[in-house]
Amino acid sequence: MIIDTHMHEKTYSSDSFLSLEDIVKKSKSMGLDGVCITDHESNEIKDFAHQFSKQSGFLILVGAEVLTHEGDITVFGLDDLPKEKIHAQQLIDLTLKAGGVAISAHPFRHNNRGMGKFIKNVQGLSGIEAFNGSTFPHHNLYAYGLSSELSIPALGASDAHTIDAIGKYATLIPGNIRDEKDFIEAVKSGRVSPVVYSNNKYESLDINQMLYNKPIYKEAI
């Protein structure tokens, strides 16, 4: 299955222009099999998203993007999000204790929201978002390199806040993902790999092509 593992819906992410209807319609047209809604410091959309998933027949998983003192982390399986800003290791530990996974989001984005090389100082990350569609290509390459160096699974995601950003990068997961539990187990097992949307389909990544692909947007938050 091909899943866009990081995007924002406008109800609980004030910087997003996307509704669930927009997301599902666009994602289906691109050939995505599912999406993850990861709103800023919120998983409150979960019940509505699951209901809409059943109505639309399209997989919608819900996590959250949480800003720690060291940078953004997307978490899945952590129902009770911290009420105040905490350190990255604390968030990772909370997530692991709850049986979930923590993924470093856009680690080398230059807006004080990426963990960067601090990733080397924490333990328990289940993944690194190596390819983020709302991040400059060279920053993605740094993230991919660090993922390889540390042998932490690399994921791809759009980090979409607008319709045109959906699905630029996504994550290929073998097998059938039915819910957050399946997704968490797949990430834990390392059975994930990033893919890119190119020529109206998803393909394995060509690093040289990505390096010279000029972005047409500013980096998101």
Side-chain angles (χ1 to χ4, degrees):
M1 296 182 70
I2 298 175
I3 299 175
D4 187 338
T5 59
H6 178 177
M7 61 172 59
H8 298 269
E9 203 272 352
K10 64 183 182 181
T11 305
Y12 295 103
S13 286
S14 60
D15 58 345
S16 176
F17 297 91
L18 295 170
S19 66
L20 281 183
E21 292 88 346
D22 295 331
I23 290 168
V24 169
K25 183 177 179 180
K26 178 68 172 180
S27 297
K28 282 184 174 181
S29 74
M30 297 179 70
L32 283 166
D33 298 304
V35 298
C36 298
I37 306 299
T38 51
D39 289 319
H40 298 291
E41 280 72 48
S42 175
N43 53 17
E44 294 179 72
I45 200 171
K46 191 169 187 176
D47 289 342
F48 178 67
H50 286 171
Q51 181 182 9
F52 192 79
S53 178
K54 291 179 181 179
Q55 292 174 355
S56 63
F58 186 77
L59 180 67
I60 304 174
L61 307 177
V62 177
E65 182 178 28
V66 179
L67 178 60
T68 70
H69 289 291
E70 292 77 26
D72 278 319
I73 297 175
T74 55
V75 294
F76 296 86
L78 181 63
D79 292 331
D80 297 322
L81 300 177
K83 299 297 188 293
E84 57 187 27
K85 197 172 184 179
I86 61 177
H87 288 285
Q89 189 64 63
Q90 291 176 286
L91 180 63
I92 294 167
D93 291 344
L94 286 172
T95 305
L96 292 177
K97 186 176 180 180
V101 290
I103 300 162
S104 174
H106 44 69
F108 287 95
R109 186 182 291 172
H110 286 175
N111 63 351
N112 296 317
R113 299 186 71 101
M115 290 180 67
K117 292 184 179 180
F118 186 81
I119 288 173
K120 294 183 177 182
N121 297 334
V122 298
Q123 295 184 352
L125 277 177
S126 297
I128 291 177
E129 191 179 79
F131 296 97
N132 177 295
S134 300
T135 295
F136 292 126
H138 59 291
H139 292 162
N140 283 334
L141 285 175
Y142 297 153
Y144 180 67
L146 188 60
S147 168
S148 299
E149 178 186 343
L150 300 178
S151 298
I152 297 175
L155 289 86
S158 68
D159 193 3
H161 295 69
T162 59
I163 195 77
D164 59 306
I166 290 174
K168 179 171 181 179
Y169 293 110
T171 300
L172 175 64
I173 306 175
N176 185 33
I177 303 300
R178 300 162 296 179
D179 51 29
E180 285 86 1
K181 182 179 179 181
D182 286 346
F183 176 76
I184 288 167
E185 290 306 311
V187 174
K188 283 183 176 180
S189 72
R191 295 184 295 111
V192 296
S193 58
V195 291
V196 62
Y197 191 72
S198 179
N199 300 316
N200 297 315
K201 62 181 180 179
Y202 282 97
E203 302 177 344
S204 299
L205 281 156
D206 181 331
I207 301 301
N208 289 325
Q209 180 186 35
M210 189 207 73
L211 179 62
Y212 293 106
N213 179 25
K214 295 180 180 180
I216 58 172
Y217 43 76
K218 294 181 179 179
E219 289 190 324
I221 64 171

